[in-house]
Amino acid sequence: QAQLVESGGGLVQSGGSLRLSCAASGISFRSYTMGWYRQAPGKQRELVARITSGGSTDYADSVKGRFTISRDNAKNSVYLQMNSLKPEDTAVYYCNANRVLTTQAVNDYWGQGTQVTVSS
């Protein structure tokens, strides 16, 4: 059974840093695109960053140059290093694992989320 467990959230002052971690189990981790999404109160969930099985990355424009996503296939883990945090980064951050099996079948899993709060 697939399971994603996030950690590393918390309260930080504006300009500070946090590192989120997501440990995966029950999946062939190295075959999955791993992503971080966030959802602020009253807003839709949005992509923050993702990294493919081959290591390619992409980021939301709002976090480019401040956040870095990485993965460690040996540890079945993905990380999000967040620097220069702003109050608008405040949200629940979710880990996602996605793998396209066929044109009609996708494996898509979510963690429970971790709260990040940035004070001004």
Side-chain angles (χ1 to χ4, degrees):
Q1 183 175 355
Q3 188 174 20
L4 303 176
V5 179
E6 302 102 332
S7 61
L11 173 64
V12 64
Q13 289 189 332
S14 181
S17 298
L18 282 174
R19 187 187 192 221
L20 304 184
S21 299
C22 172
S25 59
I27 63 172
S28 298
F29 180 82
R30 62 180 65 247
S31 299
Y32 279 72
T33 291
M34 300 301 297
W36 287 98
Y37 290 73
R38 68 186 180 187
Q39 187 167 19
K43 296 188 177 182
Q44 289 189 328
R45 189 173 298 188
E46 63 175 359
L47 174 69
V48 176
R50 61 187 166 200
I51 182 166
T52 68
S53 58
S56 298
T57 59
D58 67 279
Y59 297 89
D61 287 343
S62 59
V63 307
K64 283 181 181 177
R66 299 189 298 122
F67 291 10
T68 302
I69 189 170
S70 61
R71 65 189 297 160
D72 185 338
N73 289 338
K75 295 183 178 181
N76 286 359
S77 294
V78 61
Y79 309 99
L80 186 68
Q81 178 66 44
M82 305 186 293
N83 298 328
S84 302
L85 283 160
K86 305 175 181 180
E88 51 263 43
D89 294 317
T90 295
V92 178
Y93 284 70
Y94 296 91
C95 179
N96 173 261
N98 184 276
R99 181 184 181 189
V100 177
L101 302 176
T102 69
T103 55
Q104 296 181 334
V106 176
N107 284 350
D108 194 67
Y109 304 109
W110 294 90
Q112 82 287 351
T114 186
Q115 177 70 47
V116 171
T117 303
V118 184
S119 63
S120 58

